[in-house]
Amino acid sequence: MRRSQVGAVFFVNQNIGKIEEVSDLIRLFRSGSAQPLLAIDHEGGIIQRLTKAHRFTRIPAARDVAATMSPNEARTLYALAGRELAALGFNINLGPVLDVDEPSNPAIGVFGRAYGTDPEHIAAYAQAFIEGFSGAGILCAAKHFPGHGRSVNDSHTGAADISATWTEAELEPFTHLINSPHAPPMVMTGHLRLDPIEPDGQPATVSASIVTGLLRRRLGYQGVVVTDDLDMGAISHLMCREEAVVQALAAGSDLLMIKNLFGYDPLMPQRAVGWVRKAIAKGRLSKAQVMTAADRVRAIRRQAGLQTVMSDECEPVFTLRN
């Protein structure tokens, strides 16, 4: 913090204690000159880290919101939730979920995290989510590209292969939002294997064919691409952290999320910057590509009302960590 090397922080269950403790942590991160992005999962339902116990409004799961509220009513609820997050000091919400609802899906469906099966219906509620939170100054990350809803396994524990179940219709909610007047400032990629698009079998998070080819070129997305947690089993079972960092940036990602809980490394953010420099020196990454990613991150910092005070030496990679 003193060296202004903390670009962004991701709050998870393990560092959400009492509300007073959360406030103290946020004050700590706000005390330096870096003014990091502060991110949290605040979808609703089971994926709501700040609950009634923290004096926060309960948000129903996405499936229940869509079943009981109109998009306008949902927007009002999300606006209230956004004001509560902003008052505490957060500026990023890792939501909404744009996945297609499949009740048997172990990561999305069983928890009611998706709004439905119709792409326009999903997009309408996701738009309400983004507009509600953004009105309070909270930036949103639409997830999980290119579509986690019909996977038969959970990417937390291993690679989620969607090759046999995925259809082009799962891109439609993302297309609707990207082409809307309020495009999501961030899109989160999932650790999802999609062989028809990436024949090498690499998960979307580290696939240039999916991040750059599909999301950026075909869908035209110009905002920040953030990875899902690179410490999740789907990635950690395939490669070490260094490879994950380099491959995610090479694929076209801008923000790298690393939970850094299991196998905790207190020097991990500094190491990540070192890995990026080494990859540039070896020609695996171009400096222009890395700095383009940093420029996108600077843009959302400005959108969040934060100044960029970190030096270029520290800024090529931003790690969201606990």
Side-chain angles (χ1 to χ4, degrees):
M1 287 297 298
R2 286 194 298 270
R3 291 191 298 271
S4 298
Q5 290 178 318
V6 177
V9 181
F10 172 37
F11 279 66
V12 293
N13 278 339
Q14 289 86 353
N15 54 15
I16 298 286
K18 296 177 181 177
I19 189 64
E20 295 79 13
E21 294 167 329
V22 177
S23 298
D24 286 346
L25 270 177
I26 289 176
R27 274 194 293 271
L28 167 67
F29 287 115
R30 290 279 186 233
S31 64
S33 58
Q35 291 293 291
L37 295 164
L38 297 177
I40 193 167
D41 284 309
H42 208 65
E43 297 172 21
I46 194 171
I47 312 297
Q48 181 174 346
R49 312 304 185 202
L50 295 164
T51 65
K52 282 189 172 182
H54 302 100
R55 301 189 290 277
F56 269 65
T57 300
R58 176 188 172 274
I59 307 172
R63 184 188 294 152
D64 295 331
V65 167
T68 60
M69 299 180 188
S70 68
N72 283 337
E73 291 168 332
R75 186 180 298 108
T76 300
L77 171 66
Y78 293 137
L80 170 60
R83 290 192 294 271
E84 292 175 343
L85 277 186
L88 193 55
F90 286 98
N91 42 42
I92 291 180
N93 184 3
L94 299 173
V97 167
L98 269 65
D99 300 318
V100 171
D101 192 20
E102 175 59 57
S104 63
N105 174 272
I108 309 297
V110 296
F111 301 115
R113 296 174 65 190
Y115 288 109
T117 56
D118 178 72
E120 290 189 13
H121 181 86
I122 296 168
Y125 282 93
Q127 190 75 65
F129 187 107
I130 291 170
E131 290 176 359
F133 279 99
S134 65
I138 303 294
L139 306 180
C140 293
K143 59 189 186 185
H144 305 80
F145 190 84
H148 203 331
R150 292 197 172 116
S151 68
V152 295
N153 47 12
D154 186 342
S155 58
H156 286 84
T157 56
D161 192 340
I162 58 174
S163 303
T165 54
W166 185 86
T167 68
E168 291 271 330
E170 296 185 57
L171 293 178
E172 292 182 28
F174 291 95
T175 303
H176 280 299
L177 284 187
I178 289 169
N179 293 328
S180 75
H182 300 283
M186 305 169 70
V187 168
M188 179 189 289
T189 51
H191 305 315
L192 304 166
R193 178 173 172 171
L194 184 57
D195 291 353
I197 305 296
E198 176 52 83
D200 289 343
Q202 291 285 69
T205 323
V206 293
S207 166
S209 297
I210 294 175
V211 178
T212 298
L214 185 57
L215 178 56
R216 291 216 185 276
R217 292 179 184 159
R218 181 174 156 189
L219 270 61
Y221 184 64
Q222 300 298 315
V224 165
V225 175
V226 57
T227 70
D228 209 341
D229 174 21
L230 295 177
D231 272 357
M232 285 165 59
I235 297 294
S236 63
H237 291 170
L238 289 177
M239 63 191 76
C240 65
R241 280 178 178 160
E242 179 174 359
E243 269 304 299
V245 165
V246 173
Q247 290 192 32
L249 286 170
S253 300
D254 306 303
L255 264 173
L256 310 181
M257 186 191 305
I258 303 176
K259 192 172 181 181
N260 196 20
L261 178 63
F262 305 107
Y264 172 65
D265 180 359
L267 300 178
M268 190 275 302
Q270 295 96 310
R271 289 193 212 283
V273 174
W275 297 333
V276 172
R277 289 178 179 149
K278 184 169 72 172
I280 291 172
K282 290 185 173 183
R284 296 188 65 195
L285 290 172
S286 72
K287 184 174 181 180
Q289 180 183 24
V290 174
M291 296 317 296
T292 296
D295 285 342
R296 290 193 189 101
V297 174
R298 291 188 184 106
I300 65 163
R301 287 179 59 81
R302 290 191 294 271
Q303 211 175 330
L306 304 176
Q307 293 184 350
T308 297
V309 297
M310 296 191 299
S311 69
D312 283 347
E313 265 193 7
C314 301
E315 205 161 23
V317 62
F318 292 74
T319 46
L320 289 165
R321 69 185 186 98
N322 64 333

